[in-house]
Amino acid sequence: MSNTDILFTPMLQRLPPALLALGAQLVALLAVTATAVALRESGSGLPSGLPLPLWIALTGLAAALLSRWLGLPTWWQIINLVFIPLLWLTLQSGIDPLWFLAGFALLALTSLGAIRTRVPLYLSSPRAAVALAERLPENARVLDLGCGLGGPLSRLGTLRPDAALDGVEAAPLNWLIARLRLLGRAQVRLGNIWDTDLSGHDVVYAYLSPAPMPRLWQKARAEMRPGSLFISNTFTVPGVEPDEVVELHDLSHARLLIWRMR
Ligand SMILES: C[S@@+](CC[C@H](N)C(=O)[O-])C[C@H]1O[C@@H](n2cnc3c(N)ncnc32)[C@H](O)[C@@H]1O
């Protein structure tokens, strides 16, 4: 059985990768700690079981190997490899723990939902908004699904004063920033894209991740009017060719994939 087969067994398939990665980390921690205790009690000549640096390195290695065995992507394997070693180095640095609490609070308010949605916060480049603005019909009603900090809507507001702009965002801090930034220019709702009706919009823009794209395409097909545009920044709909692809030539090599709904 390959790694991918293991990941796609029905039970594991339902778990978000972040939880699998956390599980691998905990199992590795327990396994290496149990080995250290066993070594100490067997009188192996190592008085404290395993020396701390070796214990840390082995835990990282075991977590990375477990992540690989679970079929997690390479970047999760690397995160699990370096997590405990970096945690240890950070604890040595004497930084005030309040900074970590502040960092965690910021991350939670902007991206905690990504564990469930598998869509973290990253921002469209200004070129995406310029390309969007060039393709909006006159007086279009535009929706940014997961509008983040409101960047694309804000730029569209300037480039296309004729457009009516809406956004929906699930992360509270992102929503607040977008709402304040777009006061009087766009309606920004705190909510979920899956509860958002797409039927009233001429253009629906999404910059999410590969994970929601198949379901989002089904939703767009069910709700969007014929002739309206569904535009995804970078992420494709598996098996469905876009009607137009616009290379943005920005730093992240992003492109707009445009489908005209039928
Ligand atoms: C990659 S960012 C894109 C932000 C913005 N659209 C842009 O292009 O700059 C995706 C955003 O979608 C939000 N998001 C992810 N899943 C969501 C959901 N189910 N409902 C609402 N917002 C969601 C995330 O919180 C994040 O802010």
Side-chain angles (χ1 to χ4, degrees), residues 117 119-124 144 146-148 152 169-171 174 191-194 205 207-208:
T117 62
V119 184
L121 174 67
Y122 34 79
L123 308 178
S124 294
D144 185 353
C147 64
E169 172 56 49
N174 302 350
N192 197 317
I193 60 179
W194 306 115
Y205 173 69
Y207 185 26
L208 298 170

Side-chain angles (χ1 to χ4, degrees), residues 7 11-27 63 66-67 70 72-73 75-76 80 112 114-118:
L7 181 59
M11 195 189 76
L12 292 179
Q13 197 183 20
R14 278 197 290 273
L15 295 176
L19 277 189
L20 287 175
L22 183 64
Q25 197 62 251
L26 291 176
V27 171
L66 266 174
S67 313
L70 286 166
L72 286 168
W75 56 277
W76 272 118
N80 269 357
L112 196 63
I115 293 176
R116 187 175 38 84
T117 62
R118 297 169 65 185

Side-chain angles (χ1 to χ4, degrees), residues 158-170:
T158 309
L159 295 166
R160 290 296 301 264
D162 60 308
L165 304 174
D166 298 310
V168 58
E169 172 56 49

Side-chain angles (χ1 to χ4, degrees), residues 244-259:
E244 191 188 351
V245 176
V246 182
E247 299 291 342
L248 296 176
H249 303 291
D250 57 12
L251 289 177
S252 58
H253 305 289
R255 52 199 193 135
L256 296 187
L257 309 165
I258 305 176
W259 290 267

Side-chain angles (χ1 to χ4, degrees), residues 90 94-107:
T90 311
I95 298 170
D96 188 330
L98 280 179
W99 283 108
F100 295 106
L101 185 63
F104 175 76
L106 190 64
L107 199 63

